[in-house]
């Protein structure tokens, strides 16, 4: 019982800080999304393709979250965008206060789009608002069709689903329409994109959607 | 501070129950492993191939852990082995008490091998002993080479690494030797298998290793 109370307090405190983060983002007219997935679904590679496509037309910053290593921040920084790495040191998700502290290393007034890449985990990050406008969940075709049913919390809280690695569809026993059906069973309002970061298929449609969101922020 | 204290108490209590589970397993001469991975790495399919190979020569039981649905227990039960589903209802890992309760539905004296399939999550299940003899971590080739470095806790606590979906190696930019090198950097004692549940490659070696462990239990 005491644990539940304390967990609720942790979440309440997190929501307060998330709201403060959101207010800062709004003040700077910044569009911010929180990108979540299983480990290895391709969040960082999607981000690389996105930066390649959009960096000439908007100013992009990245906050990377990982259990260990700054590999992802270094990958993203190599594209010439400001990137901050949060190492959770065993922690299974980002929290709003970690993002708040990371923002000290970024000039928000010099950005149009901020991407927060969460720890690779389809469970825990669902419960933590970071102050983002919305969550984007990435699912690799290789993970199978049943993931929206088995991890419904994340698919319910996300606004966008990116089904990635569609270039591997010929080699896996997976029907992309079934993934979409299951995902919309959980969340009928999901915006769905299909992408391959290897062939580039679907990246233009995803980036066009992002352009619209950044323009409206 | 109070949260840390309570978390420590939760883990201490978990370890006590895990030890009791382990004593029960030992009493029945049962070999038990706890299989962990990211969502969609292929734990359940590896289990299906394992059951197909070994069911004629040993008695296998399964405890399935999922955030939602009993899809996996139904898949496994269709092979004619006793299977119990634990639904964590949002919980990101199995705990020893959940496994203890699940054991009420299994006749341990009628089993030689018990597999506990954890929630798909490379972070949280690393911290929870369930009473198993050892942890087997499954990593899909499609997840990329850097996962042992980015999720070191799990690779440190596992005794066996199964690199799965090796049939997809021609289509992904991944070197299996690099995965092995990174994994052994984290844990030099890891036993490593390479498998494809689609072609069956590597399944005999994995099952041969299992035979040896079951014989010694």
């Amino acid at each position: 019982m005491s644990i539940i109370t304390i967990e609720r307090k942790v979440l309440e405190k997190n929501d307060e800080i998330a709201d403060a983060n959101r207010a800062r983002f709004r003040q700077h007219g910044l569009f911010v999304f929180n990108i979540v997935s299983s480990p290895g679904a391709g969040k960082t590679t999607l981000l690389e393709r996105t930066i390649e496509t959009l960096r000439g037309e908007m100013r992009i910053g990245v906050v990377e979250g990982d259990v260990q290593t700054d590999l992802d921040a270094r990958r993203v920084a190599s594209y010439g965008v400001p990137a901050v790495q949060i190492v959770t040191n065993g922690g299974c998700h980002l929290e709003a206060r970690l993002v708040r502290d990371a923002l000290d290393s970024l000039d928000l007034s010099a950005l149009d789009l901020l991407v927060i890449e969460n720890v690779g985990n389809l469970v825990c990050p669902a419960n933590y608002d970071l102050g983002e406008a919305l969550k984007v969940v990435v699912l690799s075709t290789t993970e199978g069709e049943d993931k929206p049913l088995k991890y419904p919390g994340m698919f319910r809280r996300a606004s966008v689903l990116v089904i990635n690695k569609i270039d591997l569809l010929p080699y896996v026993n997976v029907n992309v329409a079934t993934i979409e059906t299951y995902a919309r069973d959980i969340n009928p309002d999901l915006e769905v994109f299909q992408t391959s970061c290897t062939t580039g298929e679907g990246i233009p449609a995803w980036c066009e959607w992002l352009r619209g969101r950044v323009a409206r922020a």
Side-chain angles (χ1 to χ4, degrees), chain A residues 29-214:
Chain A
L30 194 54
F31 178 61
V32 182
F33 68 89
N34 174 2
I35 186 164
V36 294
S37 78
S38 305
K43 292 185 297 302
T44 314
T45 310
L46 179 65
L47 205 41
E48 289 176 312
R49 294 300 87 78
T50 304
I51 294 168
E52 281 175 341
T53 308
L54 296 177
R55 64 181 160 187
E57 48 187 295
M58 62 178 75
R59 301 165 302 170
I60 306 172
V62 179
V63 174
E64 286 288 346
D66 277 292
V67 173
Q68 277 302 339
T69 82
D70 62 352
L71 293 170
D72 285 355
R74 283 196 272 153
R75 273 174 69 181
V76 167
S78 74
Y79 289 81
V81 301
V84 186
Q85 180 76 51
I86 300 172
V87 174
T88 65
N89 241 320
C92 53
H93 59 271
L94 290 181
E95 295 182 18
R97 69 181 167 81
L98 296 172
V99 171
R100 178 194 60 197
D101 296 349
L103 296 181
D104 292 343
S105 308
L106 290 170
D107 178 4
L108 298 187
S109 66
L111 296 177
D112 303 303
L113 168 65
L114 179 66
V115 185
I116 305 172
E117 184 180 337
N118 221 309
V119 173
N121 182 342
L122 266 191
V123 190
C124 315
N127 298 318
Y128 289 83
D129 182 8
L130 307 177
E132 71 272 5
L134 51 83
K135 286 189 177 65
V136 175
V137 59
V138 181
L139 184 68
S140 158
T141 56
T142 62
E143 292 176 64
E145 297 163 345
D146 58 0
K147 295 306 163 290
L149 304 179
K150 291 174 73 177
Y151 303 87
M154 190 62 93
F155 290 82
R156 205 170 283 131
R157 288 184 183 87
S159 305
V160 178
L161 164 62
V162 177
I163 304 174
N164 192 30
K165 308 195 189 181
I166 55 169
D167 54 297
L168 296 179
L169 280 171
Y171 315 113
V172 294
N173 186 22
V174 163
N175 186 329
V176 109
T178 308
I179 298 177
E180 284 208 33
T181 301
Y182 287 159
R184 290 197 210 271
D185 282 350
I186 300 295
N187 180 351
D189 299 326
L190 267 179
E191 188 104 29
V192 181
F193 296 95
Q194 298 183 16
T195 59
S196 164
C197 294
T198 304
T199 67
E201 195 180 339
I203 299 294
W206 153 250
C207 286
E208 186 55 30
W209 176 85
L210 263 181
R211 275 187 198 100
R213 293 305 305 229
V214 168

